[in-house]
Amino acid sequence: MAVALDQISVLHSGLLEYEKSLALQREIHQNVAEGTSSNTLIFVEHPSVFTAGRRTKDFERPTDGTPVIDVDRGGQITWHGPGQIVGYPIVRLEKRNEVVGFVRVIELALIETLENFGIHGVQIADKTGVWIRDEKGERKIAAIGIRVAKGVSMHGFALNVCPDLSNFGRIIPCGMPEAETTSMEKELGRSISIEEVTKILEPIMVKALGKVSI
């Protein structure tokens, strides 16, 4: 029996290996595309892992032989790990070919979330993700990589709450060697938890996704 597609279910997967999370995404994506599941937003935290999008170049990868998982999303290489909120919106898009516009919606939802904690995030032209820009320069606090197939999105965003940022030093994240990576914890100068941020982020992101999905 088909379900209503004007709602967004939220799934909290906890700490989950990337490969298992990817399999879950693909299963839900197929169901949403077929109209047998509602639009779904997955929240997950991954054990330490590097993933590479379609545009990743060899010199951007780790030089120490660390394994990298190649995936079919946009963007380049990034790191996921504890202390980072990863969100996978699997939604049927109203404007199925406007991937850039969808990315901008996600960015604005993340920026609104950061404002709740006194962090001023910004969008930067020609640079995907959410950034901090001030007298200290530009620092990336959230990364985004999306794929749309059959009009349904998958993959998503990663917000750095309190991760070990040294992992980003092993790669050229998002193909930008000049870009510093930061976190909410670093910007605030205090401890902050995944749970503290998720309870603010979830309703903001669900509302934003509801405006661009069917």
Side-chain angles (χ1 to χ4, degrees):
M1 179 178 178
V3 300
L5 295 178
D6 59 350
Q7 59 184 359
I8 296 176
S9 301
V10 179
L11 176 62
H12 293 269
S13 295
L15 187 67
L16 186 65
E17 292 179 3
Y18 185 84
E19 292 93 335
K20 292 181 179 179
S21 173
L22 184 57
L24 176 63
Q25 278 194 76
R26 287 173 173 160
E27 178 183 355
I28 295 175
H29 181 276
Q30 180 176 343
N31 293 338
V32 172
E34 293 175 349
T36 58
S37 289
S38 62
N39 296 319
T40 302
L41 172 60
I42 304 172
F43 281 112
V44 65
E45 206 174 347
H46 291 307
S48 184
V49 62
F50 293 102
T51 71
R54 294 186 298 262
R55 294 168 50 218
T56 302
K57 300 177 179 61
D58 287 342
F59 71 86
E60 297 166 355
R61 297 170 180 263
T63 58
D64 59 2
T66 300
V68 175
I69 299 175
D70 291 286
V71 291
D72 56 358
R73 61 166 170 79
Q76 290 157 277
I77 193 167
T78 193
W79 172 84
H80 296 310
Q84 186 184 68
I85 297 175
V86 178
Y88 297 124
I90 305 175
V91 299
R92 183 184 296 274
L93 298 178
E94 183 178 21
K95 298 179 180 178
R96 57 190 297 163
N97 296 319
E98 288 197 15
V99 179
V100 174
F102 182 57
V103 168
R104 298 295 172 254
V105 167
I106 294 174
E107 289 171 348
L108 289 173
L110 292 169
I111 287 170
E112 183 179 346
T113 300
L114 292 171
E115 289 289 351
N116 278 267
F117 295 91
I119 299 173
H120 183 59
V122 298
Q123 295 169 306
I124 296 180
D126 300 322
K127 292 184 179 181
T128 301
V130 177
W131 300 76
I132 311 295
R133 176 188 267 173
D134 54 24
E135 67 280 356
K136 299 176 185 177
E138 294 177 356
R139 306 178 297 286
K140 193 169 191 176
I141 196 167
I144 299 173
I146 296 292
R147 178 178 184 238
V148 176
K150 300 179 181 178
V152 178
S153 66
M154 63 180 293
H155 300 293
F157 62 87
L159 174 62
N160 296 328
V161 177
C162 53
D164 180 358
L165 293 173
S166 67
N167 289 288
F168 290 100
R170 301 167 63 190
I171 58 174
I172 299 179
C174 304
M176 290 181 281
E178 76 285 358
E180 179 185 348
T181 304
T182 191
S183 67
M184 295 179 70
E185 181 177 72
K186 184 174 180 179
E187 295 299 319
L188 292 170
R190 68 169 177 86
S191 298
I192 186 168
S193 69
I194 292 289
E195 294 74 21
E196 185 180 353
V197 179
T198 300
K199 70 180 182 181
I200 301 296
L201 171 60
E202 181 176 327
I204 292 173
M205 189 62 68
V206 167
K207 182 179 179 181
L209 295 175
K211 293 179 179 178
V212 295
S213 62
I214 57 174

